Amino acid sequence: MKNIILLLGLLFLTSCSLAPFNATNSGKSLGAGNVATEFGNANSNYFMKASAGISEDLDLGYVMEFGEFSTSALLAKYSFLNNETGPSVAGELAYGSSETTNFYYLGVIGSIAFNEAFEVFANVRFNSVNTDEGDVEIGDSVGNIEVEKEEMTYLYGAVGFNIWFNKNNGLSIYNIYIQGDGVNADPQSSVGGAFLFKF
């Protein structure tokens, strides 16, 4: 319970302007009692993410991005197909808000772990953002994304791979694609990457 209160406090201490750009990089869940953290950069924004396995198939987490803009969100991921090696599929939900902005996204993650050291993944999300000039002004650019409206609905896609150096430390690299109403991506893709840690 203390951890949930801490996560809610962090969510409201960080301003929100757009939905996070970092990818969910595996359809596998962490498993009950396991914890993971990520530190990286996605679309010219830095991020920190922490997740915990609540059950064998459900992970809950928190992400904070900062740099060209600041945002944070509470995350949930549920693995419908959950394999240590082979294919895994999960659904995800995230929500963030401040006095002037709120957003959510719904997504699907598919991944294939060829062994303990190498996994490929694809992450697709539907994003909905309502903001105002207090957080983002029309014409502002965030990485390769230009904001065209205060109400945005867009698809996010990421494709990439994870390399694990051992069971606790790894690296994730991916391409990000964004297309929709209220945003303009130029060029069409950007990159993301993170150092991965499991405990």
Side-chain angles (χ1 to χ4, degrees):
M1 186 65 178
K2 244 190 328 187
N3 292 337
I4 292 172
I5 293 170
L6 177 62
L7 286 174
L8 287 172
L10 286 171
L11 177 69
F12 293 107
L13 286 174
T14 305
S15 63
C16 297
S17 51
L18 292 175
F21 290 119
N22 66 88
T24 304
N25 53 29
S26 180
K28 294 185 291 187
S29 71
L30 294 171
N34 295 315
V35 175
T37 59
E38 296 180 28
F39 302 93
N41 187 291
N43 193 38
S44 302
N45 234 29
Y46 297 99
F47 71 89
M48 298 183 295
K49 182 190 286 187
S51 301
I54 304 304
S55 70
E56 286 307 308
D57 297 317
L58 177 65
D59 298 345
L60 296 180
Y62 172 80
V63 63
M64 180 172 58
E65 288 193 6
F66 52 93
E68 294 194 24
F69 76 101
S70 296
T71 192
S72 62
L74 293 176
L75 313 168
K77 180 176 84 171
Y78 187 84
S79 295
F80 300 99
L81 181 61
N82 196 3
N83 294 307
E84 281 301 311
T85 57
S88 294
V89 178
E92 66 176 342
L93 168 67
Y95 177 79
S97 70
S98 69
E99 289 183 12
T100 55
T101 297
N102 64 75
F103 67 82
Y104 70 88
Y105 66 71
L106 301 169
V108 176
I109 312 99
S111 64
I112 299 174
F114 292 93
N115 51 44
E116 293 180 356
F118 185 71
E119 181 179 27
V120 297
F121 68 88
N123 181 201
V124 178
R125 299 173 182 158
F126 170 79
N127 294 266
S128 177
V129 179
N130 283 309
T131 188
D132 71 13
E133 66 275 0
D135 281 332
V136 177
E137 292 186 14
I138 293 172
D140 280 355
S141 291
V142 180
N144 70 322
I145 306 299
E146 181 183 350
V147 176
E148 297 181 326
K149 295 181 180 178
E150 292 178 354
E151 294 186 13
M152 297 162 264
T153 55
Y154 56 93
L155 290 176
Y156 167 104
V159 177
F161 61 90
N162 306 320
I163 298 174
W164 289 95
F165 308 116
N166 54 50
K167 69 176 189 174
N168 299 110
N169 304 298
L171 179 67
S172 183
I173 298 174
Y174 46 90
N175 261 6
I176 300 165
Y177 305 89
I178 292 177
Q179 184 72 44
D181 183 46
V183 295
N184 180 43
D186 185 23
Q188 284 297 311
S189 68
S190 59
V191 296
F195 294 104
L196 310 175
F197 304 95
K198 287 183 181 177
F199 307 98

